[in-house]
Structures are given as C-alpha cells and as structure tokens.
Amino acid sequence: MVAVVDWAVIVAALAYAAWALVAVVRNRPPREPYVVGAGVVELLVLIQAVVAVVLMIADGAPEETATFVGYLLMNLIIIPLGLFWALAEKSRWGTSVLVVAALVVPLLVVRMQQLWDAGA
C-alpha cells in the first residue's frame, strides 16, 4: 500500500476524533461542520480504497485477501454509519459516537498495512 495515503488517512481521522472529543467535553451535540469533517475523512478513505484495489490488481493481493477486503470495506462504512448514528442522537453521546468511529479508522488502516506487508 502507499504509505503517504495511509498516513494521510490516519492523521485526518485522528484530527477528526480530537475535534469531536473537544465537542464531547464541551457537551456539544454534532453539528453541520462535523458532517464536513466526516466527508473529508471519508474522501481520504475512498482514495485509499481505490489505491488498494488498483495495487491488488497490479501487484497481487495480500495472502489474507478476504481479511484485507473485509477491513477495507469496514473502513469505507464506519464513518458514514457513525455520522448517521451521531446525527440521530442529538446529545453529546452522538458526538461520542463520532469519536469512536474516527478512532476505528486508524486501527483498520494499521491492520491493513500489517496484512499488506505480511504478503510482501
């Protein structure tokens, strides 16, 4: 996988999680700016997914392809699902869901890197 894309996703997701955590501490529900932030993170995740699929086609898939694809698909849906849940829950706990969803993304990226590197 391409390290620059991976690190961009990790940094963006952690920054988004920190931003949402500040809102949780301040007892703020999720608002429209959090939708934009989720969109930025999701765009980076989508770019990462496209790059991963292209690399799988060009260079071959990792040994544990099914696990890798599962992580890739989960990474694509975790932010939209968290955002949907957060907007439905109009309290600080909705924003807490965004924090958790954003923290899952770097974990999935690191695990995908491990799977990719194991096949190299």
Side-chain angles (χ1 to χ4, degrees):
M1 293 196 16
V2 179
V4 172
V5 177
D6 293 346
W7 282 107
V9 171
I10 290 170
V11 168
L14 289 175
Y16 184 67
W19 181 33
L21 184 60
V22 169
V24 170
V25 171
R26 295 178 66 203
N27 199 19
R28 305 282 180 172
R31 304 270 184 200
E32 291 79 16
Y34 294 98
V35 175
V36 175
V40 170
V41 174
E42 187 65 20
L43 179 63
L44 289 171
V45 168
L46 185 61
I47 291 169
Q48 179 191 36
V50 169
V51 168
V53 169
V54 168
L55 287 176
M56 284 174 44
I57 292 169
D59 293 339
E63 288 181 19
E64 297 183 41
T65 304
T67 304
F68 183 84
V69 170
Y71 285 141
L72 193 61
L73 292 175
M74 188 62 195
N75 208 15
L76 283 169
I77 64 171
I78 191 72
I79 293 291
L81 286 177
L83 184 63
F84 177 75
W85 185 357
L87 293 176
E89 175 65 42
K90 298 290 185 186
S91 69
R92 78 186 277 183
W93 300 113
T95 313
S96 299
V97 171
L98 290 178
V99 174
V100 172
L103 289 175
V104 169
V105 171
L107 297 175
L108 290 172
V109 172
V110 168
R111 185 65 185 126
M112 286 189 298
Q113 287 174 331
Q114 291 171 344
L115 289 172
W116 191 269
D117 291 342

